[in-house]
């Protein structure tokens, strides 16, 4: 006896074939899934093609108001100088000719400030970087290279990778003329294994990229940097200790020596450094050698939304025999516009004071307020 279809219940026949059909369907689906091919792996990134060339640019622009000292115009009226300037503009051309061979060419466009020059006040073109590089990472540790040509020197470029406010002014040893960011020569850079540090050795003209070689004397520069805790937590990983030596001569018997030590720190919320300088200069055997020393301490506390502070203090004894002293204090606040890696745009508002003691001839204290802008890509 069958139940009524209207009742919505199953007949004995349905009770027999429905479980069987359900079992067959499940087994068939499982078999099909087992036989389906696995998803194809993601394609490997294409191998780099050579040659490849990249073009970028860097711009430093600012407006500076000098509160002290005042100047005097042609009619004898006192005024506080102010000016809009383009402090620096680079065109960066970089690239790779092969896996091993790379290059960089950077024209530097600056304002001519040499007294008596027919181009005084004009923007002039000069070369700051122009070098050929051999990448040795496939034979030594990754990042190891040799460079030949006009290139970054051993210390300044290293320090300013961390101190990113060159658009306000260089670090102390560069700003005061003890070292330069670029010079012509040959250099070897070696990355220590496991991120424990690096070593750079170079021989340069010693006259910097702003002048031609004056004689046969060369500058030997050696920098060693150690990262004591490369595998520690981020709070300790950013600590580095650096030693630097520059042995050079103005003339055969005229020493030009610089020795430096620094402790640097890099973290998500703070970059900072303390640098110490010892220097000796004798431009001619007819003059007495000048010994100088100093230190610079700076910190850049930062937030995660682009705002950053700048605190810096330089203390330099320019002539130990006369105890001449020069100090520089910089306090500022900046905003870095959030942009992709490799691109930077920032604005900095800062106050700078430069004071002199026992300097001959005497110089007044300098006080400046400035708005700086950086564009780099």
């Amino acid at each position: 006896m069958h139940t009524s279809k209207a009742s919505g219940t199953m007949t004995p026949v349905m009770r027999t074939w429905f479980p069987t059909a359900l079992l067959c369907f499940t087994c068939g689906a499982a078999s099909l899934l087992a036989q389906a091919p696995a998803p194809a792996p993601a394609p490997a990134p294409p191998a780099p093609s050579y040659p490849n060339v990249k073009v970028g640019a860097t711009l430093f622009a600012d407006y500076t108001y000098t509160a002290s000292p005042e100047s005097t115009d042609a009619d004898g009226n006192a005024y506080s100088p102010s000016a809009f300037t383009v402090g620096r503009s680079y065109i960066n051309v970089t690239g790779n000719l092969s896996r091993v061979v790379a290059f960089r060419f950077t024209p530097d466009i600056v304002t001519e400030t040499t007294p008596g020059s027919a181009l005084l006040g004009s923007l002039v073109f000069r070369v700051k970087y122009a070098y050929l590089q051999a990448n040795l990472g496939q034979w030594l540790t990754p990042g190891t290279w040799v460079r030949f040509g006009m290139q970054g020197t051993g210390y300044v470029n290293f320090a300013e990778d961390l101190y990113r406010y060159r658009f306000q002014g260089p670090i102390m040893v560069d700003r005061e003329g003890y070292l330069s960011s670029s010079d012509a020569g040959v250099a070897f850079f070696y990355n220590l294994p496991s991120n424990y540090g690096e070593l750079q050795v170079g021989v340069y003209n010693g006259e910097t990229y702003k002048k031609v070689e004056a004689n046969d004397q060369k500058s030997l520069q050696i920098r060693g940097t150690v990262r004591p805790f490369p595998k520690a937590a981020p709070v300790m990983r950013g600590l580095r200790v650096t030693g630097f030596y520059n042995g050079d001569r103005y003339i055969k018997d005229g020493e030009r020596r610089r020795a430096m030590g620094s402790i640097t720190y890099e973290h998500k919320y703070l970059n900072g450094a303390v640098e110490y300088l010892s220097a000796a200069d004798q431009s001619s055997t007819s003059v007495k050698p000048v010994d100088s020393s100093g230190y610079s301490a700076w910190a850049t506390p930062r937030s995660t939304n682009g705002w950053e502070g700048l605190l810096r203090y330089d203390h330099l004894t320019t002539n130990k025999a006369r105890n001449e002293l020069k100090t520089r204090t910089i306090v500022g606040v900046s905003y870095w516009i959030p942009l992709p890696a490799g691109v930077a745009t920032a604005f900095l508002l800062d106050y700078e004071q430069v004071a002199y003691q026992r300097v001959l001839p005497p110089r007044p204290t300098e006080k400046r307020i400035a708005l700086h802008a950086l564009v780099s890509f």
Side-chain angles (χ1 to χ4, degrees), residues 225-257:
T225 298
V226 175
R227 190 187 298 272
F229 311 106
K231 299 179 182 179
V235 70
M236 293 300 296
R237 191 183 308 149
L239 180 66
R240 289 185 288 181
V241 180
T242 296
F244 173 80
Y245 178 80
N246 175 22
D248 192 8
R249 294 181 181 275
Y250 291 93
I251 54 176
K252 182 179 179 181
D253 298 315
E255 186 178 29
R256 178 162 52 190
R257 173 184 54 80

Side-chain angles (χ1 to χ4, degrees), residues 177-349:
Y178 290 94
L179 293 173
S180 173
S181 59
S182 177
D183 202 351
V186 59
F188 171 73
F189 176 88
Y190 177 68
N191 250 340
L192 298 179
S194 303
N195 199 30
Y196 271 99
E198 57 200 45
L199 173 69
Q200 184 170 341
V201 181
V203 178
Y204 307 87
N205 281 339
E207 305 302 329
T208 80
Y209 69 100
K210 302 175 184 179
K211 302 176 183 177
V212 298
E213 175 61 295
N215 49 38
D216 62 341
Q217 303 301 311
K218 295 294 180 283
S219 167
L220 172 64
Q221 300 187 20
I222 303 173
R223 177 179 62 84
T225 298
V226 175
R227 190 187 298 272
F229 311 106
K231 299 179 182 179
V235 70
M236 293 300 296
R237 191 183 308 149
L239 180 66
R240 289 185 288 181
V241 180
T242 296
F244 173 80
Y245 178 80
N246 175 22
D248 192 8
R249 294 181 181 275
Y250 291 93
I251 54 176
K252 182 179 179 181
D253 298 315
E255 186 178 29
R256 178 162 52 190
R257 173 184 54 80
R258 285 89 175 91
M260 293 196 64
S262 72
I263 299 175
T264 58
Y265 183 73
E266 185 175 8
H267 188 266
K268 179 180 180 180
Y269 297 111
L270 175 70
N271 285 358
V274 177
E275 305 171 321
Y276 177 79
L277 164 72
S278 175
D281 293 88
Q282 187 176 18
S283 58
S284 171
T285 54
S286 61
V287 300
K288 293 181 179 180
V290 176
D291 293 328
S292 54
S293 64
Y295 64 87
S296 176
W298 60 265
T300 56
R302 65 178 66 172
S303 67
T304 57
N305 59 5
W307 290 99
E308 188 167 308
L310 171 61
L311 305 170
R312 173 173 157 183
Y313 179 73
D314 300 345
H315 185 280
L316 180 63
T317 303
T318 55
N319 189 323
K320 287 185 175 181
R322 297 202 297 250
N323 198 24
E324 294 181 347
L325 180 64
K326 180 179 182 179
T327 61
R328 185 185 306 273
T329 303
I330 301 172
V331 179
V333 59
S334 66
Y335 179 70
W336 295 75
I337 299 175
L339 293 171
V343 181
T345 298
F347 296 91
L348 168 69
L349 178 65

Side-chain angles (χ1 to χ4, degrees), residues 20-307:
T20 304
L22 181 62
L23 177 64
C24 291
F25 176 79
T26 304
C27 292
S31 177
L32 290 174
L33 289 174
Q35 296 176 10
S49 60
Y50 302 104
N52 57 67
V53 179
K54 297 180 180 179
V55 179
T58 300
L59 169 68
F60 300 168
D62 61 75
Y63 170 77
T64 302
Y65 170 80
T66 302
S68 175
E70 292 185 330
S71 295
T72 305
D73 64 19
D75 284 340
N77 302 306
Y79 69 95
S80 295
S82 63
F84 294 95
T85 59
V86 175
R88 190 63 51 86
S89 52
Y90 300 152
I91 301 171
N92 295 306
V93 182
T94 60
N96 294 271
L97 303 180
S98 70
R99 181 181 178 185
V100 174
V101 182
F103 69 91
R104 177 179 179 179
F105 177 69
T106 301
D108 178 18
I109 304 170
V110 296
T111 303
E112 174 61 69
T113 59
T114 304
S117 171
L119 299 175
L120 182 63
S122 301
L123 295 176
V124 297
F125 176 100
R126 65 185 179 189
V127 175
K128 184 172 184 180
Y129 299 104
Y131 62 76
L132 192 65
Q133 174 175 310
N135 298 314
L136 307 179
Q138 58 183 311
W139 300 287
L140 301 173
T141 53
T144 299
W145 47 255
V146 172
R147 286 178 184 168
F148 182 79
M150 191 170 291
Q151 58 187 285
T153 52
Y155 186 81
V156 175
N157 278 250
F158 157 77
E160 290 190 343
D161 280 345
L162 189 64
Y163 181 79
R164 53 181 186 168
Y165 284 93
R166 188 177 180 88
F167 67 102
Q168 192 281 335
I171 61 174
M172 183 186 74
V173 290
D174 188 0
R175 195 163 189 164
E176 303 300 335
Y178 290 94
L179 293 173
S180 173
S181 59
S182 177
D183 202 351
V186 59
F188 171 73
F189 176 88
Y190 177 68
N191 250 340
L192 298 179
S194 303
N195 199 30
Y196 271 99
E198 57 200 45
L199 173 69
Q200 184 170 341
V201 181
V203 178
Y204 307 87
N205 281 339
E207 305 302 329
T208 80
Y209 69 100
K210 302 175 184 179
K211 302 176 183 177
V212 298
E213 175 61 295
N215 49 38
D216 62 341
Q217 303 301 311
K218 295 294 180 283
S219 167
L220 172 64
Q221 300 187 20
I222 303 173
R223 177 179 62 84
T225 298
V226 175
R227 190 187 298 272
F229 311 106
K231 299 179 182 179
V235 70
M236 293 300 296
R237 191 183 308 149
L239 180 66
R240 289 185 288 181
V241 180
T242 296
F244 173 80
Y245 178 80
N246 175 22
D248 192 8
R249 294 181 181 275
Y250 291 93
I251 54 176
K252 182 179 179 181
D253 298 315
E255 186 178 29
R256 178 162 52 190
R257 173 184 54 80
R258 285 89 175 91
M260 293 196 64
S262 72
I263 299 175
T264 58
Y265 183 73
E266 185 175 8
H267 188 266
K268 179 180 180 180
Y269 297 111
L270 175 70
N271 285 358
V274 177
E275 305 171 321
Y276 177 79
L277 164 72
S278 175
D281 293 88
Q282 187 176 18
S283 58
S284 171
T285 54
S286 61
V287 300
K288 293 181 179 180
V290 176
D291 293 328
S292 54
S293 64
Y295 64 87
S296 176
W298 60 265
T300 56
R302 65 178 66 172
S303 67
T304 57
N305 59 5
W307 290 99

